[in-house]
Amino acid sequence: MDKTEKKNDNFHLYLNGFNFAGGCIALAALNSGLKVCLKLDRKLDTTFYPELSYFYPGSLVQTRTAYADFLFLLRCSSLFPHLYFPKRSLFFQQEAKPNMSLHVGFDKLLRRDRESSSLPIRTEKFRDYHSLNPSFELGALVLEYQFDRNQAVRELLQFCVREGLILLDEKEPKMAQLTLSCPALVKEQYSIQLKKTQYPFPNPIRVKSSNFDLILNPVFNDIVVQIYKVNTKISASDFVEEMKLILTRLKIVVLDEIDDQIKKIHSPIVAEKYHSVDEIVDYPLHLQRTHIIGWKREIQKQLGVNINLNFLFDSYPDQAMTNINFRNIQNECDEKFDLAKQTGISYAHFSHLFYRYRRSIDAMIEQVYEKMNMERDAKKLWDEVVQETNQQENDT
């Protein structure tokens, strides 16, 4: 599409920057017949920094919101199910025993089968978790989803371009009814990455206290620690001390250097209500539904038009990340690995790349085989192809 033909048109929406929430709204707007243009104010992040969902409610009063948030996650996953990876997570409550009746009821609400339902865990009876007893005696093993936000943002942009999004150059004028700033998610405001820290357990762990939710997710040789503050009145010193105490009880080596990182999370409070309509700010995974729907309604009021999110999710052929769909994707991964294994790549490494670059994996395999005439180091070959793929996607 020739940008020069469109740059002087009047647009409904002008995006300054691109993030997940803004991308969902832009794609829904394009599918609803609106004209949308974009100026990228930064290069999109290509690093792998996953987020783990934590939708299981800790009390009955949280069930309705948790159910709505979970369904919204599944609807979003219909766009790119390979970027929502199912993971079993161990859920502890600091001040109470796990309510298994609540978990069983929540599983029934989600229509989960036996394979994906929650399970009670008494740590003293499991060798992998024996060291947590008695600090964490009872827990529940629940199914959550690991979300690859950075890759989702890049794929969302590709969807938008295919649906008619106009990319503007720096000097091109913007003439739109509504201008939206879409800054990148500031992950330091809700997560910490513990580099090269040993994680002694087979599953991610979530601990819910009266002051915050704490999630530990092992990623390669690091641990991504997600924190969502519940008690906004807790002091910075108490927040840091309770955090470090729980990490110590979880047998995680805690260095004094993380104090400043924890304080960064204490200072900004994640707003429960969306910001002004001129700025669409990305939020952690469990808050996406509230903010995306809220901004969509405000934008509709401003423009006097309808933006249909339901139509967006129903417009793409990929299915949501269900158990059946995940098994199908796993089988696809195995089939692609059979094609790639003679390059020397390990299954674990290939699987990671497949779930990030599923739509590009065939071309990547072919490129690696072509490069093997000049280089035999598998890691070097695949790293080079990944870099080229990232560059190509950013240029598209």
Side-chain angles (χ1 to χ4, degrees):
M1 187 176 294
D2 187 354
K3 289 188 292 185
T4 60
E5 296 177 3
K6 292 290 184 179
K7 68 179 183 180
N8 291 321
D9 283 1
N10 289 321
F11 293 97
H12 295 95
L13 293 176
Y14 170 86
L15 304 185
N16 183 22
F18 196 80
N19 56 24
F20 185 79
C24 286
I25 292 171
L27 188 56
L30 289 162
N31 275 274
S32 300
L34 276 64
K35 294 180 180 179
V36 183
C37 60
L38 163 68
K39 184 187 76 174
L40 280 175
D41 60 347
R42 64 190 179 276
K43 289 185 178 180
L44 297 183
D45 194 344
T46 62
T47 59
F48 179 64
Y49 195 88
E51 303 167 53
L52 192 67
S53 69
Y54 47 105
F55 288 104
Y56 268 80
S59 63
L60 185 61
V61 72
Q62 298 170 345
T63 302
R64 183 176 180 179
T65 299
Y67 180 62
D69 290 341
F70 192 88
L71 291 184
F72 189 78
L73 176 146
L74 290 184
R75 301 210 73 191
C76 287
S77 75
S78 66
L79 297 172
F80 18 61
H82 50 286
L83 300 180
Y84 292 81
F85 192 88
K87 269 193 171 184
R88 282 284 190 174
S89 178
L90 191 53
F91 178 21
F92 295 108
Q93 295 196 67
Q94 182 82 336
E95 287 91 10
K97 294 181 180 180
N99 187 338
M100 289 310 302
S101 296
L102 176 62
H103 293 325
V104 170
F106 195 62
D107 287 331
K108 289 181 178 178
L109 191 62
L110 300 179
R111 298 180 180 178
R112 285 188 157 171
D113 56 23
R114 187 173 182 178
E115 179 184 350
S116 57
S117 293
S118 56
L119 301 169
I121 294 290
R122 186 177 292 274
T123 54
E124 67 175 354
K125 294 186 177 181
F126 289 82
R127 183 178 61 183
D128 289 331
Y129 298 112
H130 193 268
S131 62
L132 292 176
N133 190 64
S135 296
F136 299 97
E137 182 182 3
L138 297 172
L141 197 62
V142 300
L143 184 64
E144 298 285 356
Y145 291 87
Q146 180 173 277
F147 175 52
D148 187 351
R149 180 190 297 264
N150 287 339
Q151 188 63 18
V153 169
R154 282 143 53 81
E155 293 197 17
L156 261 179
L157 180 54
Q158 293 172 11
F159 276 129
C160 288
V161 170
R162 286 197 291 269
E163 293 298 326
L165 174 74
I166 303 300
L167 296 172
L168 298 179
D169 294 329
E170 188 71 27
K171 296 180 180 179
E172 288 184 292
K174 61 177 189 292
M175 290 178 290
Q177 296 179 40
L178 188 60
T179 297
L180 305 171
S181 175
C182 300
L185 177 75
V186 183
K187 60 179 181 292
E188 291 80 11
Q189 292 184 356
Y190 78 99
S191 68
I192 297 170
Q193 189 167 7
L194 303 179
K195 296 282 190 177
K196 297 182 179 179
T197 303
Q198 185 177 4
Y199 188 78
F201 310 110
N203 300 92
I205 289 178
R206 170 190 175 190
V207 177
K208 183 176 182 60
S209 79
S210 58
N211 291 317
F212 52 79
D213 273 293
L214 171 69
I215 298 92
L216 282 76
N217 185 23
V219 179
F220 302 127
N221 295 322
D222 303 336
I223 304 174
V224 176
V225 182
Q226 298 168 218
I227 305 158
Y228 176 65
K229 189 166 58 172
V230 177
N231 178 11
T232 59
K233 297 181 180 180
I234 186 173
S235 68
S237 59
D238 288 344
F239 185 68
V240 170
E241 287 307 309
E242 185 176 354
M243 272 283 307
K244 292 171 68 175
L245 177 62
I246 292 178
L247 289 171
T248 301
R249 287 176 176 172
L250 291 171
K251 313 304 177 184
I252 303 300
V253 176
V254 180
L255 302 176
D256 291 337
E257 285 79 4
I258 74 167
D259 286 24
D260 290 339
Q261 293 176 277
I262 298 174
K263 288 176 182 176
K264 286 181 182 178
I265 293 173
H266 174 268
S267 298
I269 298 172
V270 177
E272 292 293 347
K273 295 183 179 180
Y274 49 86
H275 285 201
S276 61
V277 74
D278 60 343
E279 184 178 47
I280 297 182
V281 182
D282 251 354
Y283 281 94
L285 189 59
H286 72 292
L287 293 174
Q288 284 179 350
R289 176 185 65 88
T290 303
H291 295 286
I292 290 174
I293 292 175
W295 272 309
K296 190 231 13 165
R297 288 172 178 165
E298 287 298 311
I299 292 168
Q300 288 182 156
K301 289 180 184 178
Q302 293 278 340
L303 297 179
V305 297
N306 181 55
I307 298 175
N308 193 337
L309 279 173
N310 293 330
F311 179 74
L312 162 65
F313 298 130
D314 295 339
S315 297
Y316 291 89
D318 287 337
Q319 301 175 12
M321 179 49 87
T322 60
N323 282 349
I324 294 175
N325 200 28
F326 178 60
R327 284 192 289 269
N328 291 336
I329 295 175
Q330 278 185 313
N331 291 335
E332 182 184 341
C333 179
D334 293 343
E335 292 170 2
K336 300 300 181 183
F337 177 67
D338 285 340
L339 299 176
K341 61 185 178 184
Q342 291 186 24
T343 67
I345 191 171
S346 68
Y347 181 79
H349 185 191
F350 179 82
S351 178
H352 165 68
L353 294 180
F354 172 83
Y355 282 96
R356 287 214 87 195
Y357 303 100
R358 181 187 175 198
R359 294 190 173 100
S360 303
I361 199 67
D362 287 332
M364 294 171 71
I365 293 171
E366 185 176 342
Q367 290 172 37
V368 172
Y369 275 117
E370 290 175 355
K371 291 176 180 290
M372 286 180 68
N373 295 324
M374 297 174 288
E375 175 64 55
R376 304 297 294 182
D377 186 313
K379 184 180 185 305
K380 186 175 180 180
L381 282 170
W382 279 95
D383 286 349
E384 185 177 326
V385 168
V386 166
Q387 185 176 3
E388 292 173 358
T389 301
N390 286 336
Q391 184 62 50
Q392 183 179 3
E393 289 183 356
N394 283 344
D395 292 342
T396 302

